[in-house]
């Protein structure tokens, strides 16, 4: 399957890291800009979006002296989509912890969006010494009364959740984003 040029360009500037081991391993797509010695800002996407949404923020943050990092959660964007993986919020939080360990990030600022908010908030609550600050973008934090919108139900139905993840290819994500009115080709 051919990846649209805009997404291929984004992908070509990134790299992959492995989290987990054995049959529980997963290739995670990472894109970053800035010096490895600069203070890291980790940009966390929502569901079912990807790190691609932050493409216009990486270079300006690096130019301001930060190490700007974004990644795709397992099952999203350009990351691997194993059919045997748990895609619950708590599992994604564990994946985030593993990735922050792989990246050797002892401290960071988080920028959280959409469903990445509850996931990254759980990460922050369990890693207070690492998370120095948080910027909240269009997310929910009061999750006790959260009612899943229809598209999220697909993640709770056995077999249908894996079908949805398998269909979340770069091409379908590109078409979905374009369908919702994002026509920026940068």
């Amino acid at each position: 399957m051919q990846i649209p040029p805009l997404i291929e360009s984004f992908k070509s500037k990134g790299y992959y890291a492995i989290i987990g081991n054995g049959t529980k391993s997963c290739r995670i797509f990472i894109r970053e800009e800035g010096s490895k010695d600069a203070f890291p800002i980790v940009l966390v996407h929502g569901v079912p979006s990807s790190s691609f949404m932050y493409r216009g923020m990486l270079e300006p943050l690096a130019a301001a002296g930060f190490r700007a990092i974004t990644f795709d959660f397992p099952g999203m964007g350009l990351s691997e989509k194993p059919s045997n993986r748990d895609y619950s919020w708590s599992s994604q939080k564990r994946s985030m912890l593993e990735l922050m360990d792989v990246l050797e990030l002892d401290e960071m600022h988080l920028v959280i969006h959409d469903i990445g908010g509850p996931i990254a908030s759980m990460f922050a609550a369990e890693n207070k010494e690492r998370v120095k600050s948080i910027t909240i973008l269009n997310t929910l934090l009061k999750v006790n009364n959260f009612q899943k919108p229809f598209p999220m139900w697909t993640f709770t139905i056995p077999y249908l959740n894996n079908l949805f993840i398998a269909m979340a290819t770069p091409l379908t994500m590109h078409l979905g984003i374009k369908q919702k009115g994002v026509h920026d080709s940068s």
Side-chain angles (χ1 to χ4, degrees), residues 58-146:
L58 298 171
E59 289 180 17
L61 287 170
F66 297 100
R67 178 182 176 194
I69 305 165
T70 189
F71 66 95
D72 287 335
F73 280 112
M76 298 288 114
L78 297 167
S79 286
E80 192 173 26
K81 300 161 181 56
S83 61
N84 64 342
R85 190 164 189 90
D86 175 6
Y87 292 102
S88 66
W89 291 359
S90 57
S91 177
Q92 297 290 44
K93 182 259 312 176
R94 286 189 299 276
S95 297
M96 184 174 171
L97 174 61
E98 288 181 57
L99 183 61
M100 298 305 108
D101 288 345
V102 167
L103 294 174
E104 299 178 344
L105 298 181
D106 296 327
E107 60 180 13
M108 69 200 75
H109 172 78
L110 294 176
V111 175
I112 61 177
H113 176 259
D114 191 60
I115 301 304
I119 295 167
S121 294
M122 288 188 295
F123 169 83
E126 295 175 13
N127 295 276
K128 293 176 185 141
E129 71 288 349
R130 294 172 88 168
V131 179
K132 302 305 178 190
S133 58
I134 301 174
T135 299
I136 299 168
L137 306 174
N138 190 28
T139 190
L140 61 142
L141 296 177
K142 187 176 179 184
V143 296
N144 293 347
N145 299 324
F146 176 67

Side-chain angles (χ1 to χ4, degrees), residues 11-83:
K11 180 181 177 183
S12 71
K13 297 174 186 171
Y15 63 96
Y16 287 87
I18 304 290
I19 61 168
N21 51 44
T23 60
K24 297 294 183 185
S25 68
C26 185
R27 288 181 60 214
I28 302 296
F29 177 77
I30 303 159
R31 173 81 197 283
E32 64 178 281
E33 296 284 339
S35 168
K36 297 266 190 212
D37 297 326
F39 188 82
I41 296 178
V42 179
L43 303 138
V44 183
H45 69 80
V47 173
S49 62
S50 74
S51 60
F52 182 75
M53 69 177 284
Y54 292 117
R55 69 192 180 282
M57 295 177 68
L58 298 171
E59 289 180 17
L61 287 170
F66 297 100
R67 178 182 176 194
I69 305 165
T70 189
F71 66 95
D72 287 335
F73 280 112
M76 298 288 114
L78 297 167
S79 286
E80 192 173 26
K81 300 161 181 56
S83 61

Side-chain angles (χ1 to χ4, degrees), residues 149-166:
F150 177 74
M152 289 185 68
W153 288 353
T154 61
F155 288 98
T156 64
I157 301 169
Y159 304 107
L160 188 55
N161 59 357
N162 290 335
L163 177 64
F164 182 79
I165 293 296

